[in-house]
C-alpha cells in the first residue's frame, strides 16, 4: 500500500517544470495527517473553501499537456488502478530545491449571510472558524460539525442537540452565547454560530512556561466563572464539565463558560439536584463520581470541578493525578490532596472548602462568593499571561478581511500576479528571518514583520497528492 | 509636582472648597454663578485624583484614602446628591463617576464606602428619589446600579418602603427614564439570589400586589418587560418557593390565560413561558385544575394554533407539544 512519510511529504512529478501544487492537494495532506478515512469529505470542504472549478480543470489540463508519461488519475480510477501502477514511476523523490510552493489563494465563501474566515481551532467533531455576519458586521466563531464525525463520538449527536437546546435558553455575560444554527443537509454539516472568543484558559496555560496564571489574573477569571456558574445553577443546569479547556475568553477578557455537551437540566419541579450520570473529564470529577456512586447532588459536581480548575490555574498542576483513569479515580476517591505550601492562606482555605470529599460539606456558590479570597482583589503585581497569538498575530485581527479584500479588489491583485511561487529554500530563509525577528523583539520589527508576512503568507500550501486511498481504514 | 502653576491641592482642601461651593449653590444667592464654576472645577480635581488624566496617573493610594476619608467626614457625598439638580451637565456626570469610583474602593476584603453608606442610608433613598427628577434620573440610575452590586446596599434598598416607588418609576412616560428605572429594579430583584429569594418570600403579598399592576399597565413596554421579568423570576431555581406560591393562585392563571390572547405576539410568547409552569406543575391545586379543565378543549385548540410559525424553535415546539399533551390528559382529581 502507498504510504508517504508525513514529515517528508515531498512528492514531485518528473519533468514537470513547474509543479502546480494547488490548495486542493495541500489541504488533503492535512486531513491525511489527522485521519485517513476522511478524504471524500475533506474534498467537499476544500472545494467550497478555496477552489473554483475553473482553476481545478486548468491544473489537470496542464498535467495532461505537458507530460504523457504521467497519468493523472481521477479519484475513482485511482483506487482501482492503484495496484497496477508502479508507484516508483508515479512518484519521484526530488531535491528540495526543485519543489515550488504556491501561495494560498483566498476565496470568499459565504454560508447563509455569514462570511467565512480562517481556522481558529479543531476538535474531534470538526473545525472552528472565524466568521462575519455580513448584515450586522458582528464577528462570530462557527463550530462546524460533520455528521459522520459526530457519529463516531459516543453520544455525539445527542450531546450537540442537547447543547443547542440548552444554549438557546441561556443569556448571561459569562456563558457562551449561541447566535445562530444553520444546517446543510447536502453536506451533512451543522454550523453552530457563537460569540467570538480568542482562546481558552487551557490554551493560555499551555503557552506559558509555568502553566499557571498570576494570582490577580486567576482571581479575575475565577470570579467570572463563579458568576456564570451561579447563573447556570439558577437555571437548573449542571454543567458537569467545568475545566480550563471549556472556559473561553473574549478579546475584552470576559470569561465564557462553554461546551454544554454533557450538561444536565433539572426538571422545573425537581425537589433537589440529584443526578445519576456524569461524563465530564476524569481529572475534574469529584470523589462521588470517581467512586461510582449511583446518585449524587449535581451542583456540587460543578463546585468540585471549579475547585480543581482554580487549583490548576493557580499552581500549574492538578490536585489528583494517576497513570490511568483507574489510578486517577482511585486517588480522587480517597479525596486526599496536597496544596502547595507557597499558596496564600485564604486561597488554601477556599480550595479546601471546594474540594471537600463530602459533597454536603462542600461550599456552595454563595459561600464561595462571600469567601475572603473572592472578595479581596489581588493587586496586579506581575505581568499578565497573554492570549496566545493566532498564527503569529498577537492582536487577533479579523481573518475574514483578507477574503473580502481579495473578493472585491481581485483585478488589482491579479495584476500583481495573484499566484506566487517560491522554493523550499526561499521558504526556509523567510522562516528563519521570521524567527530571528521574533526573537529579536517584536516591537522594533513591527513594520518588517508585516511586510515579510505579506510576501511569505504562511506555508499552508505544501504539496501532496490528491488522494491516498491506501490509507483508508476499511 | 508640576514645575509651573499652582502646586497640587490636598484632598482636604479640595473637599472643603467643593463643600463650600455646593453650600452656596444650595442657597442660590447672588454668587450662584461663581459657585457653579467652583463646583465644576473642584469636581474635576477630585475626578482626576481618582482616574488620572491623559498626562497624569491617578493619585497614590494614600492620597485616595485621604480623599475618601474627607468625603465621609464632610458628608459631601450626600450633599452632592441632594444638590445634583443644581450642578451643571458635566458636573452631574463627574459626581456619578466620583461616587462610583469611591464606592468600588477596597481595602483587603473590606469596602469602606459600602460600610459608610450602610451608616448613611439616606444616600440611597435620595438616589432613589432621583428618578422623580428628569434632569438627574439617569445619573442617579448609574449610581444606584453600582450600589445594587453590593449585597448590603441592595438589602437596604429592597427592604425600604421607597422600593415600592420603583413600580411607579418603571411606568413613567419618559421612555429612557422608565427603562433605566426598570434595569435598576431588575438588578435589585435578581442580582443577589439568596437575598432576593428571601425578600420575595417574606414580602410576597405586597410585592406581587404591586407587580400585578405592572402586568396590567396601560404601557405596552411596561407590560412586556414586567412579564418577561416575572418569567425569569419564577423560573429561577432560587425562587422555587415563590414560584410554587404564585402558580397556586387561580387569579394569576387567569391573568396569564388572558395575556396569551393579547394582541401583541411578544406578550403572548412571554405569557406562554409563565403559563407553562402552571400546567407543568405536578401538584396542581384544585382551583387551578378546575380552570384548566373548564377550558380543556379550548386550550388544546388554542395551543395547536399558537405561534405555528416558530417552526425552527425546537425548544418552544417541544414545550408546546408537552403542554397540549398534559392538558388533553387532564382528569378531575380523584377526591371529588
Amino acid at each position: 500500500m502507498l504510504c508517504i512519510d508525513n514529515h517528508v511529504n515531498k512528492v514531485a512529478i518528473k519533468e514537470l517544470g513547474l509543479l502546480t501544487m494547488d490548495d486542493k492537494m495541500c489541504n488533503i495532506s492535512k486531513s491525511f495527517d489527522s485521519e485517513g478515512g476522511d478524504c471524500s469529505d475533506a474534498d467537499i470542504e476544500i472545494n467550497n473553501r478555496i477552489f473554483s472549478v475553473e482553476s481545478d480543470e486548468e491544473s489537470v489540463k496542464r498535467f495532461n499537456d505537458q507530460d504523457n508519461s504521467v497519468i493523472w488519475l481521477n479519484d475513482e480510477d485511482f483506487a482501482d488502478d492503484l495496484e497496477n501502477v508502479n508507484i516508483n514511476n508515479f512518484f519521484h523523490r526530488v531535491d528540495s530545491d526543485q519543489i515550488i510552493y504556491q501561495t494560498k489563494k483566498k476565496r470568499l465563501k459565504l454560508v447563509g449571510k455569514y462570511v467565512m474566515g480562517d481556522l481558529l481551532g479543531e476538535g474531534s467533531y470538526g473545525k472552528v472558524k472565524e466568521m462575519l455576519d455580513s448584515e450586522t458586521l458582528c464577528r462570530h466563531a462557527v463550530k462546524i460539525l460533520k455528521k459522520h464525525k459526530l457519529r463516531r463520538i459516543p453520544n455525539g449527536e445527542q450531546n450537540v442537540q442537547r447543547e443547542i437546546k440548552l444554549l438557546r435558553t441561556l443569556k448571561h455575560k459569562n456563558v457562551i452565547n449561541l447566535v445562530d444554527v444553520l444546517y446543510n443537509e447536502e453536506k451533512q454539516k451543522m454550523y453552530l454560530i457563537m460569540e467570538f472568543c480568542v482562546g481558552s484558559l487551557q490554551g493560555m496555560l499551555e503557552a506559558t512556561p509555568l502553566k499557571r496564571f498570576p494570582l490577580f489574573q486567576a482571581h479575575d477569571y475565577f470570579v467570572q466563572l463563579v458568576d456564570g456558574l451561579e447563573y447556570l445553577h439558577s437555571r437548573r443546569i449542571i454543567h458537569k464539565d467545568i475545566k480550563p479547556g471549556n472556559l473561553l475568553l473574549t478579546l475584552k477578557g470576559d470569561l465564557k463558560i462553554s461546551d454544554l455537551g454533557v450538561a444536565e437540566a433539572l426538571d422545573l419541579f425537581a425537589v433537589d439536584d440529584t443526578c445519576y450520570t456524569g461524563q465530564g473529564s476524569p481529572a475534574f470529577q469529584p470523589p462521588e463520581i470517581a467512586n461510582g456512586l449511583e446518585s449524587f447532588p449535581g451542583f456540587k459536581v460543578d463546585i468540585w470541578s471549579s475547585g480543581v480548575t482554580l487549583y490548576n490555574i493557580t499552581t500549574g498542576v492538578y490536585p489528583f493525578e494517576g497513570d490511568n483513569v483507574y489510578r486517577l479515580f482511585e486517588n480522587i476517591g480517597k479525596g486526599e490532596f496536597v496544596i502547595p505550601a507557597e499558596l496564600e492562606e485564604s486561597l488554601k482555605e477556599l480550595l479546601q472548602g471546594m474540594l471537600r470529599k463530602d459533597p454536603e460539606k462542600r461550599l456552595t456558590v454563595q459561600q464561595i462568593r462571600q469567601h475572603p479570597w473572592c472578595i479581596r482583589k489581588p493587586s496586579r503585581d506581575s505581568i499578565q499571561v497573554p492570549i496566545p497569538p493566532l498564527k503569529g498575530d498577537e492582536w487577533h485581527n479579523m481573518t475574514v478581511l483578507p477574503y473580502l479584500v481579495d473578493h472585491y479588489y481581485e483585478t488589482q491583485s491579479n495584476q500583481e500576479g495573484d499566484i506566487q511561487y517560491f522554493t523550499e529554500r526561499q521558504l526556509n530563509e523567510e522562516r528563519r528571518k521570521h524567527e530571528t525577528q521574533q526573537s529579536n523583539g517584536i516591537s522594533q520589527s513591527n513594520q518588517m514583520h508585516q511586510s515579510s508576512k505579506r510576501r511569505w503568507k504562511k506555508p499552508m500550501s505544501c504539496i501532496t497528492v490528491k488522494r491516498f486511498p491506501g490509507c483508508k481504514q476499511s | 509636582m508640576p514645575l509651573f502653576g499652582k502646586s497640587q491641592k490636598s484632598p482636604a482642601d479640595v473637599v472643603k472648597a467643593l463643600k463650600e461651593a455646593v453650600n452656596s449653590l444650595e442657597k442660590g444667592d447672588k454668587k450662584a454663578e461663581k459657585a457653579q464654576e467652583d463646583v465644576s472645577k473642584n469636581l474635576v480635581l477630585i475626578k482626576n485624583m481618582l482616574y488620572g488624566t491623559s498626562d497624569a496617573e491617578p493619585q497614590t493610594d494614600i492620597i485616595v484614602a485621604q480623599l475618601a476619608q474627607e468625603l465621609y467626614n464632610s458628608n459631601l457625598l450626600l450633599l452632592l446628591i441632594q444638590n445634583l439638580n443644581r450642578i451643571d451637565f458635566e458636573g452631574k456626570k463627574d459626581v456619578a463617576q466620583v461616587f462610583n469610583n469611591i464606592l468600588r474602593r477596597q481595602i483587603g476584603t473590606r469596602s469602606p464606602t459600602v460600610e459608610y453608606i450602610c451608616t448613611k442610608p439616606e444616600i440611597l433613598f435620595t438616589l432613589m428619589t432621583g428618578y422623580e427628577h428628569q434632569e438627574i434620573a439617569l445619573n442617579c440610575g448609574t449610581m444606584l446600579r453600582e450600589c445594587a452590586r453590593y449585597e448590603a446596599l441592595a438589602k437596604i434598598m429592597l427592604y425600604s418602603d421607597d422600593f415600592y416607588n420603583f413600580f411607579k418609576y418603571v411606568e413613567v412616560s419618559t421612555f429612557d427614564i422608565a427603562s433605566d428605572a426598570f434595569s435598576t429594579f431588575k438588578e435589585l430583584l435578581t442580582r443577589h439570589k439568596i437575598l432576593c429569594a428571601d425578600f420575595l418570600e417574606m414580602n410576597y403579598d405586597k410585592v406581587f400586589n404591586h407587580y400585578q399592576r405592572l402586568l396590567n399597565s396601560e404601557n405596552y413596554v411596561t407590560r412586556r418587560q414586567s412579564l418577561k421579568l416575572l418569567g425569569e423570576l419564577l423560573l429561577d431555581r432560587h425562587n422555587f418557593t415563590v414560584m410554587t406560591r404564585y402558580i397556586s393562585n387561580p387569579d394569576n392563571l387567569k391573568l396569564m390565560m388572558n395575556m396569551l390572547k393579547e394582541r401583541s405576539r411578544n406578550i403572548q410568547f412571554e405569557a406562554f413561558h409563565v403559563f407553562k409552569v402552571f400546567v407543568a406543575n405536578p401538584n396542581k391545586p384544585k382551583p387551578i385544575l378546575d380552570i384548566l379543565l373548564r377550558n380543556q378543549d379550548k386550550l388544546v385548540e388554542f395551543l395547536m394554533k399558537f405561534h405555528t410559525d416558530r417552526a425552527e424553535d425546537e425548544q418552544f415546539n417541544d414545550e408546546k407539544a408537552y403542554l397540549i399533551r398534559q392538558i388533553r390528559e387532564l382528569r378531575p382529581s380523584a377526591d371529588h
Side-chain angles (χ1 to χ4, degrees), chain B residues 153-290:
Chain B
L153 302 185
K155 188 170 181 179
I156 294 174
M157 289 192 262
L158 275 177
Y159 283 91
S160 72
D161 283 336
D162 294 21
F163 172 75
Y164 297 90
N165 289 334
F166 270 104
F167 291 94
K168 247 176 19 203
Y169 302 153
V170 300
E171 244 193 317
V172 295
S173 55
T174 323
F175 177 73
D176 52 349
I177 296 178
S179 32
D180 192 281
F182 194 87
S183 57
T184 310
F185 177 68
K186 183 179 170 182
E187 183 80 2
L188 286 172
L189 283 177
T190 53
R191 175 88 191 194
H192 308 280
K193 301 291 182 193
I194 306 282
L195 169 70
C196 300
D198 287 348
F199 167 73
L200 289 175
E201 258 178 84
M202 284 166 70
N203 300 281
Y204 181 90
D205 289 321
K206 193 170 179 191
V207 172
F208 282 93
N209 272 337
H210 281 81
Y211 211 100
Q212 203 78 347
R213 269 184 264 153
L214 294 186
L215 296 171
N216 288 315
S217 165
E218 297 277 292
N219 185 328
Y220 164 76
V221 180
T222 309
R223 230 167 39 243
R224 183 177 162 189
Q225 276 185 322
S226 57
L227 182 58
K228 189 166 192 283
L229 177 60
L230 176 68
E232 279 173 40
L233 287 174
L234 296 183
L235 293 180
D236 190 320
R237 194 174 177 276
H238 296 93
N239 298 329
F240 188 78
T241 330
V242 172
M243 187 257 285
T244 44
R245 192 158 166 195
Y246 190 87
I247 61 168
S248 307
N249 185 338
D251 289 336
N252 294 334
L253 175 60
K254 282 183 210 159
L255 179 65
M256 284 311 133
M257 283 167 68
N258 284 330
M259 287 188 117
L260 277 177
K261 296 191 295 181
E262 273 252 7
R263 255 204 4 261
S264 152
R265 277 173 54 84
N266 286 315
I267 289 190
Q268 292 173 0
F269 192 60
E270 297 298 344
F272 175 86
H273 289 298
V274 180
F275 173 73
K276 72 183 180 194
V277 189
F278 286 91
V279 182
N281 184 2
N283 307 306
K284 293 183 244 325
K286 191 165 176 301
I288 298 287
L289 189 63
D290 288 345

Side-chain angles (χ1 to χ4, degrees), chain B residues 9-21:
Chain B
K9 275 192 188 172
S10 76
D13 295 340
V14 183
V15 169
K16 190 162 167 255
L18 181 55
K19 188 168 181 179
E20 276 166 16

Side-chain angles (χ1 to χ4, degrees), chain A residues 165 234 236 269 375-376, chain B residues 106 108-109 235 237 315 318:
Chain A
K165 210 168 158 180
S234 81
R236 302 178 167 73
F269 293 94
I375 296 176
R376 212 195 72 233
Chain B
Q106 275 198 318
T109 56
L235 293 180
R237 194 174 177 276
Q315 174 92 10
D318 285 357

Side-chain angles (χ1 to χ4, degrees), chain A residues 13 15-21 62-63 66 98 100-102 419 421-422:
Chain A
I13 295 161
E15 286 163 18
L16 198 66
L18 185 96
L19 189 66
T20 56
M21 286 144 292
R62 221 174 317 170
F63 281 118
Q66 291 207 5
Q98 286 191 293
I100 304 170
Y101 292 83
Q102 178 195 321
I419 302 162
Y421 301 102
F422 39 84

Side-chain angles (χ1 to χ4, degrees), chain B residues 100-159:
Chain B
N100 287 352
N101 186 301
I102 286 288
L103 185 58
R104 282 194 293 264
R105 211 166 76 85
Q106 275 198 318
I107 305 173
T109 56
R110 286 182 49 223
S111 297
T113 310
V114 173
E115 290 166 17
Y116 166 74
I117 297 178
C118 282
T119 66
K120 296 246 180 258
E122 219 184 325
I123 292 180
L124 295 173
F125 304 140
T126 315
L127 281 175
M128 281 155 90
T129 50
Y131 276 120
E132 289 164 20
H133 306 284
Q134 196 149 351
E135 67 283 6
I136 58 166
L138 301 185
N139 304 99
C140 290
T142 57
M143 290 186 261
L144 276 175
R145 277 191 298 284
E146 195 68 40
C147 291
R149 294 178 55 219
Y150 297 92
E151 193 163 342
L153 302 185
K155 188 170 181 179
I156 294 174
M157 289 192 262
L158 275 177
Y159 283 91

Side-chain angles (χ1 to χ4, degrees), chain A residues 233 237-241 262-264 266 270-280 284-305 329 356-362, chain B residues 237:
Chain A
H233 289 182
I237 291 166
I238 303 159
H239 186 282
K240 291 191 181 177
D241 200 14
V262 299
E264 181 175 336
L266 296 169
V271 270
D272 58 24
D273 58 337
T274 305
C275 277
Y276 303 92
T277 56
Q279 21 169 335
F284 294 85
Q285 296 305 301
E288 56 271 24
I289 291 181
N291 287 335
L293 256 64
E294 211 151 272
S295 67
F296 43 86
F299 295 135
K300 294 297 176 72
V301 174
D302 286 344
I303 300 289
W304 176 278
S305 357
F329 274 1
R356 274 190 199 126
K357 194 183 162 196
D358 180 355
E360 301 295 335
K361 290 188 188 140
R362 215 170 287 155
Chain B
R237 194 174 177 276

